[in-house]
Amino acid sequence: MDSPREERDAPPFVGSRDLLDASSDAAAVLSSEGVVLGWTPGAEALLGRPAAEVVGRPATRLLAMRVDPARAAGVAERCRSGMGWSGLVPLRHRDGRTLDVDLRVSAAFHIEGHECFLLSGRERRPQWAMGQSVLDGFLTRSPIGMAVMDPELRYVWINDTLERFGGVPREQRLGHRLSELLPGLQATTIEGLMRKVLATREPVTEYEYLGWSWADPRRQRAFSTSFFPLVDAGDSVTGVCYMVADVTERWNARQRLSLVNESATRIGTTLDVLRTAQELADFAVPRFADFVVVDLLEPVLSTEDHGTWLGDSPQAPAGPVMRRAALRSVRDGSPEALAHIGDPVDFLPPAHGIDLLINGEPVLIPELDPQDALWLAEQPERTARISEFGLHSLIAVPMRARRTALGLTTFARSINPVSFQPDDVLLAEELVARAAVCVDNARRYTREHRAAVTLQRSLLPQALTGGTALEVASSYLPADAADGVGGDWFDVIPLSGARVGLVVGDVVGHGLAAAASMGRLRTAVQTLADMELPPDELLAHLDDLVLRLGDEESGSAVSRDSTATFVGATCLYAVYDPVTRRCSMARAGHPPPVVVAPDGRAWFAELPAGPPLGLGGMAFEATEIELAENSLLGLYTDGLIEGADQDVERGMARLRAALADPGADLATLCTATVQQLVPVPQSDDIALLLTRTHALGADHVVSWDVPVDPAAVADLRARAARQVAEWGYDELAVTTELIVSELVTNAIRYAEPPIRLKLLRDSRLTCEVADASSTAPRLRHARSTDEGGRGLFLVAQLAHRWGARHTGEGKIIWAEQEIPSDRSGRG
């Protein structure tokens, strides 16, 4: 007996004619690894290859098609179960021709403990005579599978195509029912349709379904089936004929189109970069892949840069800096992933570099080999995960939009046994392209949004104070729930004489343009208020400014949309005087302020609405009301009162009711009012400015009539010095005497009576001289030879600030002095 070594070295079974020459068919023996162990003369005659060229080598070299590992595994599994397999397989002749061979594979058997398979086959040849060629071509070679069933639904006849579809030999089918042979093809449903055809004699056409067959046990395929009755000459139904077409490609194309259409509604639902990336991963698993990761370049995630522009030369030779933005797996916890969301990643499929992201094409690896030397060298950890979790097919698609490289999306399959095909690359590209546009939109929006938020926060007042005249609280709620930006604004502006200016405005629109327009209007109001203009005149000047800005922008290269931000802008300006407790106000198309008396009575101030800013040609009117001490005055924008029902009158009633408790803490009341009136986000910005009024009593204000006599100046100067001393500001007595002397002297010389002197102590000490003249004083620098002209210059040097404001009776010249901090709260 030969040794095992000799048996392995000799071509096994070549001389075993008793085993292999039993038929005239070509025959061969294969090991379970697919190596040819035996080769008969019939096989040599069929393919023209002698045993010496074949035995001991892989059988895949004989195939004229690409090996499908999933299908080969299914055939082997069937043969191991003892059922065998048959089908039409293209083989390559030694001279290069392709032969279609009817191949049969036996049930597995063992030789000396080794699993083997016996293969036999013959070249497919026409079985019918030449006179039947037309029928042969129609039935046998038809790409449509056909069969005839008897009334008991047993096979009577099938063509070769149907035999190939099902993978069950004709001999095993005849006399049996479909449900006995192919349970994976919805046999029960199909037999039900055939019974319906037998009963009604009505055909059923184009019934499509999914299923598996023994011809391809691991790949789901789509079939379209039609049934019609067979009727003999006596009009009796003798059976059913059915025809089957493999419509897998059409089915897959339809599914891909459906996926693309669905992705449009599932990806990009928000303007958030990470959320959009995760939506892509969630959508693709398990519809398209078993494992998906989305890696984005760091500038895309930070939104502080514009991303990597296509054509830019990479500055980092080690590769792009990316972070994991999203991942999804059919397995809980995504154990296939080495990096999780937020982690830095450097994955690019070997042997690709950063150029793949900038201008590379998608990478398709139909069969991912974990033993590939390049993968083992460049991605050893990922290769281990590939092997551990059975990742067998991969597509990597660069994410690009608007000539900007954004990152890389990788799709992989493991549980799904079907490898990715070139058509799948087209689908992956479409999904990634749609997601890339959404990611780029989100990146651009986030960058602009942050800039707009920063701008608006810098434009809105950082801290509000009404001095001793007003207690102030405010609330601002943008229309964008994610801390967005709008055109609403409010302000509290200190004025002379302890008075306070209150302003609230609304610029139409949202975003950066609205915030910029709001900033320009707020600055203009502050400038005009500092000029001591009454409310109606201030709005008139503001209206002129808006008209001028609109004309400038319409005549420049700025987009037309930017001018639209001023159209419809509204504003309300009010001035409260704590000495007289009177509040003068005017509005430009803005809702009226709400007033709540100390006893809880609430009403809306009646004042002319005025046109919105920017219309021009219409006048604004001011109204003055008296407010009791501790009254509540509320200024707001229309977003607060519109509500979900868009009923402004109801909204105003709700606001009046919400503020009916004037004694409540002002900040708490302001916050609670907004939450009560606007419980859910809405499409308009909301601003609310609440003030509680205070009055300056007799112990804070003193005044004297001024005779039109220069001799009276000394007496008034002495009275002022004594009053300042009584208030405890002795160190200010001298400067107060000098300021009073200069202001009163000027009024006596140049103004018209009546003249009145007033001292007012608040956060500052203010001296005011009122007269009936409308001529404003002018500061000038006297020459050394001039005898006068130094009065106002001296006042400007002694006072913290000074100025003049016009009144209905004339004007008031005022000067303020800083009160020492250790005594500013006295009184």
Side-chain angles (χ1 to χ4, degrees), residues 121-161:
R122 61 179 179 272
E123 184 179 1
R124 170 63 65 87
R125 299 181 183 277
Q127 299 179 0
W128 291 357
M130 292 298 293
Q132 296 176 314
S133 60
V134 176
L135 184 61
D136 179 35
F138 177 70
L139 299 177
T140 306
R141 297 174 183 172
S142 170
I144 306 297
M146 290 180 283
V148 175
M149 318 292 285
D150 65 15
E152 299 300 323
L153 303 183
R154 292 187 293 264
Y155 281 99
V156 176
W157 173 87
I158 66 171
N159 72 346
D160 294 345
T161 305

Tab-separated table of all heavy atoms in Angstrom, residues 121-161:
chain	number	residue	atom	x	y	z
A	121	GLY	N	-21.129	16.520	-16.312
A	121	GLY	CA	-21.798	17.487	-17.165
A	121	GLY	C	-21.601	17.177	-18.628
A	121	GLY	O	-20.741	16.394	-19.027
A	122	ARG	N	-22.438	17.812	-19.412
A	122	ARG	CA	-22.330	17.702	-20.857
A	122	ARG	C	-22.743	19.042	-21.458
A	122	ARG	O	-23.504	19.803	-20.853
A	122	ARG	CB	-23.215	16.587	-21.401
A	122	ARG	CG	-24.703	16.752	-21.136
A	122	ARG	CD	-25.483	15.591	-21.739
A	122	ARG	NE	-26.905	15.716	-21.484
A	122	ARG	CZ	-27.523	15.248	-20.405
A	122	ARG	NH1	-26.823	14.616	-19.485
A	122	ARG	NH2	-28.815	15.391	-20.257
A	123	GLU	N	-22.218	19.275	-22.650
A	123	GLU	CA	-22.504	20.543	-23.304
A	123	GLU	C	-23.979	20.620	-23.655
A	123	GLU	O	-24.574	19.645	-24.122
A	123	GLU	CB	-21.663	20.686	-24.561
A	123	GLU	CG	-21.828	22.040	-25.247
A	123	GLU	CD	-20.960	22.174	-26.475
A	123	GLU	OE1	-20.240	21.203	-26.798
A	123	GLU	OE2	-21.007	23.254	-27.106
A	124	ARG	N	-24.575	21.775	-23.383
A	124	ARG	CA	-25.985	21.975	-23.675
A	124	ARG	C	-26.180	21.973	-25.200
A	124	ARG	O	-25.597	22.780	-25.915
A	124	ARG	CB	-26.466	23.298	-23.074
A	124	ARG	CG	-27.851	23.754	-23.499
A	124	ARG	CD	-28.935	22.775	-23.049
A	124	ARG	NE	-29.041	22.699	-21.617
A	124	ARG	CZ	-29.800	23.512	-20.870
A	124	ARG	NH1	-30.535	24.415	-21.465
A	124	ARG	NH2	-29.829	23.378	-19.572
A	125	ARG	N	-27.037	21.088	-25.702
A	125	ARG	CA	-27.309	21.002	-27.131
A	125	ARG	C	-28.820	20.961	-27.349
A	125	ARG	O	-29.558	20.509	-26.476
A	125	ARG	CB	-26.684	19.738	-27.741
A	125	ARG	CG	-25.163	19.688	-27.614
A	125	ARG	CD	-24.601	18.427	-28.250
A	125	ARG	NE	-23.155	18.348	-28.072
A	125	ARG	CZ	-22.274	18.965	-28.848
A	125	ARG	NH1	-22.715	19.713	-29.862
A	125	ARG	NH2	-20.985	18.858	-28.635
A	126	PRO	N	-29.305	21.408	-28.507
A	126	PRO	CA	-30.753	21.319	-28.787
A	126	PRO	C	-31.215	19.867	-28.739
A	126	PRO	O	-30.562	18.971	-29.258
A	126	PRO	CB	-30.882	21.903	-30.188
A	126	PRO	CG	-29.655	22.729	-30.383
A	126	PRO	CD	-28.560	22.058	-29.600
A	127	GLN	N	-32.347	19.645	-28.041
A	127	GLN	CA	-32.849	18.289	-27.888
A	127	GLN	C	-33.887	17.939	-28.946
A	127	GLN	O	-34.281	16.786	-29.048
A	127	GLN	CB	-33.475	18.132	-26.492
A	127	GLN	CG	-32.472	18.371	-25.374
A	127	GLN	CD	-33.105	18.244	-24.008
A	127	GLN	OE1	-34.302	17.979	-23.919
A	127	GLN	NE2	-32.321	18.417	-22.971
A	128	TRP	N	-34.304	18.923	-29.625
A	128	TRP	CA	-35.354	18.652	-30.604
A	128	TRP	C	-34.779	18.654	-32.015
A	128	TRP	O	-33.701	19.191	-32.285
A	128	TRP	CB	-36.458	19.703	-30.524
A	128	TRP	CG	-37.252	19.600	-29.246
A	128	TRP	CD1	-37.101	18.682	-28.266
A	128	TRP	CD2	-38.297	20.459	-28.848
A	128	TRP	NE1	-37.980	18.897	-27.255
A	128	TRP	CE2	-38.750	19.987	-27.589
A	128	TRP	CE3	-38.921	21.565	-29.425
A	128	TRP	CZ2	-39.784	20.591	-26.905
A	128	TRP	CZ3	-39.954	22.156	-28.740
A	128	TRP	CH2	-40.375	21.679	-27.482
A	129	ALA	N	-35.533	18.080	-32.943
A	129	ALA	CA	-35.100	18.015	-34.332
A	129	ALA	C	-35.179	19.393	-34.962
A	129	ALA	O	-35.846	20.295	-34.471
A	129	ALA	CB	-35.965	17.026	-35.118
A	130	MET	N	-34.499	19.531	-36.060
A	130	MET	CA	-34.466	20.817	-36.734
A	130	MET	C	-35.860	21.282	-37.135
A	130	MET	O	-36.153	22.460	-37.156
A	130	MET	CB	-33.574	20.722	-37.978
A	130	MET	CG	-32.097	20.538	-37.668
A	130	MET	SD	-31.434	21.935	-36.735
A	130	MET	CE	-31.572	23.201	-37.988
A	131	GLY	N	-36.784	20.348	-37.427
A	131	GLY	CA	-38.122	20.741	-37.824
A	131	GLY	C	-38.883	21.417	-36.714
A	131	GLY	O	-39.911	22.041	-36.946
A	132	GLN	N	-38.400	21.292	-35.506
A	132	GLN	CA	-39.077	21.920	-34.361
A	132	GLN	C	-38.284	23.128	-33.845
A	132	GLN	O	-38.426	23.520	-32.694
A	132	GLN	CB	-39.228	20.897	-33.239
A	132	GLN	CG	-40.123	19.716	-33.602
A	132	GLN	CD	-40.157	18.693	-32.479
A	132	GLN	OE1	-39.122	18.336	-31.941
A	132	GLN	NE2	-41.350	18.236	-32.165
A	133	SER	N	-37.481	23.709	-34.683
A	133	SER	CA	-36.588	24.779	-34.225
A	133	SER	C	-37.346	25.992	-33.690
A	133	SER	O	-36.924	26.619	-32.718
A	133	SER	CB	-35.655	25.200	-35.372
A	133	SER	OG	-36.418	25.661	-36.473
A	134	VAL	N	-38.457	26.336	-34.346
A	134	VAL	CA	-39.215	27.508	-33.872
A	134	VAL	C	-39.769	27.254	-32.487
A	134	VAL	O	-39.658	28.085	-31.574
A	134	VAL	CB	-40.339	27.850	-34.857
A	134	VAL	CG1	-41.187	28.988	-34.323
A	134	VAL	CG2	-39.758	28.230	-36.216
A	135	LEU	N	-40.380	26.082	-32.307
A	135	LEU	CA	-40.919	25.747	-30.994
A	135	LEU	C	-39.805	25.616	-29.967
A	135	LEU	O	-39.968	26.007	-28.813
A	135	LEU	CB	-41.714	24.438	-31.082
A	135	LEU	CG	-42.425	23.997	-29.799
A	135	LEU	CD1	-43.443	25.054	-29.384
A	135	LEU	CD2	-43.116	22.650	-30.018
A	136	ASP	N	-38.665	25.086	-30.410
A	136	ASP	CA	-37.520	24.947	-29.500
A	136	ASP	C	-37.074	26.311	-28.994
A	136	ASP	O	-36.846	26.515	-27.814
A	136	ASP	CB	-36.382	24.248	-30.231
A	136	ASP	CG	-35.151	24.078	-29.361
A	136	ASP	OD1	-35.326	23.864	-28.150
A	136	ASP	OD2	-34.030	24.182	-29.880
A	137	GLY	N	-36.954	27.278	-29.917
A	137	GLY	CA	-36.533	28.613	-29.512
A	137	GLY	C	-37.548	29.303	-28.632
A	137	GLY	O	-37.188	30.070	-27.741
A	138	PHE	N	-38.820	29.056	-28.877
A	138	PHE	CA	-39.865	29.717	-28.101
A	138	PHE	C	-39.976	29.157	-26.689
A	138	PHE	O	-40.143	29.897	-25.724
A	138	PHE	CB	-41.194	29.576	-28.832
A	138	PHE	CG	-42.353	30.158	-28.083
A	138	PHE	CD1	-42.483	31.527	-27.934
A	138	PHE	CD2	-43.305	29.328	-27.510
A	138	PHE	CE1	-43.540	32.069	-27.238
A	138	PHE	CE2	-44.366	29.869	-26.797
A	138	PHE	CZ	-44.490	31.243	-26.673
A	139	LEU	N	-39.892	27.833	-26.589
A	139	LEU	CA	-40.103	27.204	-25.291
A	139	LEU	C	-38.809	26.971	-24.525
A	139	LEU	O	-38.661	27.388	-23.381
A	139	LEU	CB	-40.844	25.870	-25.472
A	139	LEU	CG	-42.230	25.964	-26.092
A	139	LEU	CD1	-42.809	24.571	-26.281
A	139	LEU	CD2	-43.152	26.790	-25.213
A	140	THR	N	-37.862	26.302	-25.185
A	140	THR	CA	-36.687	25.880	-24.451
A	140	THR	C	-35.732	27.025	-24.167
A	140	THR	O	-35.226	27.166	-23.060
A	140	THR	CB	-35.952	24.780	-25.227
A	140	THR	OG1	-36.870	23.732	-25.509
A	140	THR	CG2	-34.789	24.232	-24.422
A	141	ARG	N	-35.470	27.880	-25.178
A	141	ARG	CA	-34.495	28.941	-25.020
A	141	ARG	C	-35.115	30.268	-24.601
A	141	ARG	O	-34.431	31.286	-24.547
A	141	ARG	CB	-33.735	29.128	-26.328
A	141	ARG	CG	-32.946	27.896	-26.730
A	141	ARG	CD	-32.327	28.060	-28.085
A	141	ARG	NE	-31.635	26.859	-28.507
A	141	ARG	CZ	-31.133	26.672	-29.725
A	141	ARG	NH1	-31.291	27.630	-30.635
A	141	ARG	NH2	-30.510	25.554	-30.038
A	142	SER	N	-36.357	30.282	-24.354
A	142	SER	CA	-37.032	31.515	-23.946
A	142	SER	C	-36.469	32.002	-22.613
A	142	SER	O	-36.220	31.202	-21.706
A	142	SER	CB	-38.537	31.281	-23.809
A	142	SER	OG	-39.138	32.398	-23.198
A	143	PRO	N	-36.245	33.310	-22.489
A	143	PRO	CA	-35.809	33.847	-21.186
A	143	PRO	C	-36.916	33.812	-20.140
A	143	PRO	O	-36.677	34.136	-18.984
A	143	PRO	CB	-35.413	35.293	-21.526
A	143	PRO	CG	-36.226	35.641	-22.721
A	143	PRO	CD	-36.353	34.382	-23.513
A	144	ILE	N	-38.111	33.420	-20.557
A	144	ILE	CA	-39.242	33.314	-19.646
A	144	ILE	C	-39.367	31.861	-19.208
A	144	ILE	O	-39.425	30.950	-20.036
A	144	ILE	CB	-40.549	33.764	-20.317
A	144	ILE	CG1	-40.399	35.170	-20.898
A	144	ILE	CG2	-41.705	33.693	-19.335
A	144	ILE	CD1	-40.125	36.225	-19.867
A	145	GLY	N	-39.392	31.657	-17.921
A	145	GLY	CA	-39.633	30.312	-17.409
A	145	GLY	C	-41.094	29.946	-17.590
A	145	GLY	O	-41.996	30.756	-17.341
A	146	MET	N	-41.367	28.693	-18.060
A	146	MET	CA	-42.736	28.260	-18.318
A	146	MET	C	-42.946	26.867	-17.735
A	146	MET	O	-42.021	26.042	-17.703
A	146	MET	CB	-43.029	28.260	-19.818
A	146	MET	CG	-43.102	29.658	-20.421
A	146	MET	SD	-43.452	29.643	-22.200
A	146	MET	CE	-41.847	29.191	-22.827
A	147	ALA	N	-44.177	26.622	-17.294
A	147	ALA	CA	-44.533	25.304	-16.764
A	147	ALA	C	-46.012	25.062	-16.985
A	147	ALA	O	-46.816	26.009	-17.088
A	147	ALA	CB	-44.201	25.218	-15.274
A	148	VAL	N	-46.350	23.795	-17.065
A	148	VAL	CA	-47.739	23.363	-17.170
A	148	VAL	C	-48.057	22.520	-15.948
A	148	VAL	O	-47.319	21.594	-15.611
A	148	VAL	CB	-47.985	22.556	-18.460
A	148	VAL	CG1	-49.413	22.023	-18.479
A	148	VAL	CG2	-47.733	23.423	-19.681
A	149	MET	N	-49.184	22.873	-15.269
A	149	MET	CA	-49.621	22.169	-14.061
A	149	MET	C	-50.952	21.474	-14.370
A	149	MET	O	-51.808	22.028	-15.083
A	149	MET	CB	-49.796	23.148	-12.895
A	149	MET	CG	-48.702	24.197	-12.779
A	149	MET	SD	-47.098	23.543	-12.327
A	149	MET	CE	-47.367	23.219	-10.588
A	150	ASP	N	-51.144	20.281	-13.801
A	150	ASP	CA	-52.432	19.608	-13.973
A	150	ASP	C	-53.439	20.192	-13.000
A	150	ASP	O	-53.099	21.067	-12.183
A	150	ASP	CB	-52.266	18.095	-13.799
A	150	ASP	CG	-51.848	17.712	-12.380
A	150	ASP	OD1	-51.964	18.564	-11.454
A	150	ASP	OD2	-51.402	16.577	-12.173
A	151	PRO	N	-54.704	19.771	-13.048
A	151	PRO	CA	-55.715	20.345	-12.139
A	151	PRO	C	-55.382	20.178	-10.662
A	151	PRO	O	-55.926	20.906	-9.824
A	151	PRO	CB	-56.992	19.591	-12.518
A	151	PRO	CG	-56.791	19.212	-13.953
A	151	PRO	CD	-55.339	18.893	-14.074
A	152	GLU	N	-54.486	19.235	-10.329
A	152	GLU	CA	-54.057	19.070	-8.932
A	152	GLU	C	-52.828	19.904	-8.621
A	152	GLU	O	-52.227	19.770	-7.567
A	152	GLU	CB	-53.764	17.587	-8.669
A	152	GLU	CG	-54.949	16.671	-8.868
A	152	GLU	CD	-56.105	17.032	-7.944
A	152	GLU	OE1	-55.824	17.423	-6.782
A	152	GLU	OE2	-57.261	16.941	-8.377
A	153	LEU	N	-52.469	20.727	-9.588
A	153	LEU	CA	-51.340	21.644	-9.457
A	153	LEU	C	-50.014	20.908	-9.355
A	153	LEU	O	-49.076	21.360	-8.687
A	153	LEU	CB	-51.532	22.590	-8.255
A	153	LEU	CG	-52.809	23.421	-8.262
A	153	LEU	CD1	-52.827	24.367	-7.064
A	153	LEU	CD2	-52.949	24.209	-9.557
A	154	ARG	N	-49.913	19.767	-10.051
A	154	ARG	CA	-48.655	19.044	-10.131
A	154	ARG	C	-47.988	19.365	-11.468
A	154	ARG	O	-48.658	19.558	-12.491
A	154	ARG	CB	-48.882	17.540	-10.003
A	154	ARG	CG	-49.353	17.097	-8.613
A	154	ARG	CD	-49.386	15.579	-8.522
A	154	ARG	NE	-50.417	15.026	-9.401
A	154	ARG	CZ	-51.637	14.703	-8.994
A	154	ARG	NH1	-51.975	14.853	-7.726
A	154	ARG	NH2	-52.511	14.193	-9.848
A	155	TYR	N	-46.656	19.399	-11.461
A	155	TYR	CA	-45.906	19.717	-12.678
A	155	TYR	C	-46.122	18.624	-13.724
A	155	TYR	O	-45.978	17.429	-13.458
A	155	TYR	CB	-44.414	19.825	-12.388
A	155	TYR	CG	-44.000	21.137	-11.766
A	155	TYR	CD1	-43.795	21.261	-10.401
A	155	TYR	CD2	-43.812	22.263	-12.569
A	155	TYR	CE1	-43.411	22.466	-9.829
A	155	TYR	CE2	-43.431	23.474	-12.009
A	155	TYR	CZ	-43.230	23.573	-10.645
A	155	TYR	OH	-42.856	24.774	-10.089
A	156	VAL	N	-46.448	19.075	-14.931
A	156	VAL	CA	-46.556	18.183	-16.075
A	156	VAL	C	-45.409	18.437	-17.047
A	156	VAL	O	-44.851	17.499	-17.636
A	156	VAL	CB	-47.912	18.376	-16.788
A	156	VAL	CG1	-47.987	17.517	-18.041
A	156	VAL	CG2	-49.053	18.056	-15.841
A	157	TRP	N	-45.038	19.712	-17.196
A	157	TRP	CA	-43.958	20.064	-18.113
A	157	TRP	C	-43.354	21.387	-17.662
A	157	TRP	O	-44.051	22.276	-17.168
A	157	TRP	CB	-44.512	20.211	-19.544
A	157	TRP	CG	-43.509	20.731	-20.533
A	157	TRP	CD1	-42.624	19.999	-21.253
A	157	TRP	CD2	-43.295	22.104	-20.899
A	157	TRP	NE1	-41.855	20.804	-22.054
A	157	TRP	CE2	-42.253	22.117	-21.861
A	157	TRP	CE3	-43.883	23.310	-20.521
A	157	TRP	CZ2	-41.779	23.280	-22.435
A	157	TRP	CZ3	-43.415	24.473	-21.107
A	157	TRP	CH2	-42.370	24.462	-22.051
A	158	ILE	N	-42.030	21.505	-17.793
A	158	ILE	CA	-41.342	22.778	-17.519
A	158	ILE	C	-40.278	22.972	-18.587
A	158	ILE	O	-39.772	22.002	-19.180
A	158	ILE	CB	-40.695	22.819	-16.125
A	158	ILE	CG1	-39.545	21.811	-16.027
A	158	ILE	CG2	-41.717	22.604	-15.030
A	158	ILE	CD1	-38.743	21.961	-14.754
A	159	ASN	N	-39.951	24.233	-18.848
A	159	ASN	CA	-38.854	24.484	-19.784
A	159	ASN	C	-37.544	24.661	-19.021
A	159	ASN	O	-37.519	24.720	-17.783
A	159	ASN	CB	-39.158	25.681	-20.684
A	159	ASN	CG	-39.088	27.004	-19.930
A	159	ASN	OD1	-39.076	27.034	-18.703
A	159	ASN	ND2	-39.068	28.098	-20.674
A	160	ASP	N	-36.457	24.756	-19.793
A	160	ASP	CA	-35.137	24.813	-19.167
A	160	ASP	C	-34.950	26.065	-18.321
A	160	ASP	O	-34.281	26.044	-17.286
A	160	ASP	CB	-34.054	24.775	-20.252
A	160	ASP	CG	-34.029	23.453	-20.990
A	160	ASP	OD1	-34.635	22.490	-20.484
A	160	ASP	OD2	-33.408	23.387	-22.067
A	161	THR	N	-35.529	27.167	-18.765
A	161	THR	CA	-35.367	28.423	-18.013
A	161	THR	C	-35.954	28.307	-16.626
A	161	THR	O	-35.343	28.737	-15.630
A	161	THR	CB	-36.023	29.588	-18.772
A	161	THR	OG1	-35.486	29.651	-20.084
A	161	THR	CG2	-35.802	30.908	-18.054
